């Protein structure tokens, strides 16, 4: 079982909808949680970074971490066609020894 | 500020050959990490270099190796290529390589092994 599980999608929603992207993880040592966005033929870019449990908001994006259930979420409000990309969750224990542990990514399509 | 650059962008090799990929980090960044991305396994950590020293290593065979130069540029080498090595190889740079330092990814090198 991979340490971080993520539904690959594709997830297709109409423009303006609220999008919910989710990951689960198994290693309780993970303390740092990130969301990356990857456009086709590009490298991933960091969207959100959260330490431990709680919520973090940045514009239309909200990241949520529930360590008790080992569940990570990213919400996108007022979704735009330009949000169409693959979204990857990533975790780290903070020790640095294993680098970031990524989910496989969810392919999101926002229909105009 | 220029981003992370990787060369070449695309590469085709045959089984048994070896390949060297190059990564130039953002100016001032001293940490370079390498990742392999495949549809089946997703992004997997290969290794991280900081100030010319390999600091961390993922679970990959010894055919995968790397190095970092004094100007922080990094290369990774794969010897005796196998079909399963076909992947997008990404490098990421950060200032200090700690988990709180943002990693900036390059566009990747797409390696195809025939």
């Amino acid at each position: 079982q991979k340490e971080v599980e993520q539904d690959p999608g594709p997830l297709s929603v109409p423009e303006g909808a609220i999008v919910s992207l989710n990951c689960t993880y198994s290693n309780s040592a993970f303390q740092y949680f990130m969301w990356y966005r990857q456009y086709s033929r590009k490298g991933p870019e960091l969207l959100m970074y959260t330490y431990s449990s709680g919520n973090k908001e940045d514009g239309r994006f909200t990241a949520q971490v529930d360590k008790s259930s080992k569940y990570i979420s990213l919400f996108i409000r007022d979704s735009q066609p330009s949000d169409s990309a693959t979204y990857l969750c990533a975790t780290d224990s903070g020790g640095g020894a294993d680098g970031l542990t990524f989910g496989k990514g969810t392919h999101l399509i926002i229909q105009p | 500020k220029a981003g992370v650059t990787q060369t070449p962008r695309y590469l085709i090799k045959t089984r048994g050959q070896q390949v060297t990929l190059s990564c130039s980090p953002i100016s001032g960044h001293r940490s370079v990490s390498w990742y392999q991305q495949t549809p089946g396994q997703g992004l997997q950590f290969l290794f991280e270099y900081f100030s010319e020293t390999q600091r961390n290593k993922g679970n990959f065979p010894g055919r995968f190796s790397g190095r970092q130069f004094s100007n922080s540029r990094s290369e990774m080498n794969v010897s005796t290529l196998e079909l399963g090595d076909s992947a997008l190889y990404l490098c990421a740079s950060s200032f200090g390589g700690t988990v709180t330092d943002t990693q900036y990814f390059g566009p990747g090198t797409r390696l195809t092994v025939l």
Side-chain angles (χ1 to χ4, degrees), chain A residues 38 43-44 49 96-98 100 104, chain B residues 35 37 40-41 45 56 100 105-106:
Chain A
Q38 186 175 22
Y49 159 79
D98 301 319
L100 294 176
K104 290 186 182 180
Chain B
Y35 291 84
Q37 186 174 31
Q41 297 298 317
F45 173 70
N56 300 299
T100 54
F105 282 83

Side-chain angles (χ1 to χ4, degrees), chain B residues 7-63:
Chain B
T7 57
R9 291 293 309 278
Y10 302 91
L11 207 48
I12 299 175
K13 292 285 187 180
T14 56
R15 277 182 303 174
Q17 287 187 308
Q18 76 164 17
V19 68
T20 299
L21 312 181
S22 181
C23 172
S24 292
I26 291 172
S27 177
H29 285 189
R30 296 166 66 189
S31 169
V32 173
S33 297
W34 287 89
Y35 291 84
Q36 181 196 66
Q37 186 174 31
T38 60
Q41 297 298 317
L43 264 155
Q44 292 185 285
F45 173 70
L46 279 156
F47 29 66
E48 185 237 352
Y49 286 87
F50 182 83
S51 293
E52 301 179 66
T53 301
Q54 186 181 88
R55 214 160 48 166
N56 300 299
K57 189 177 191 304
N59 189 26
F60 276 82
R63 300 185 296 108

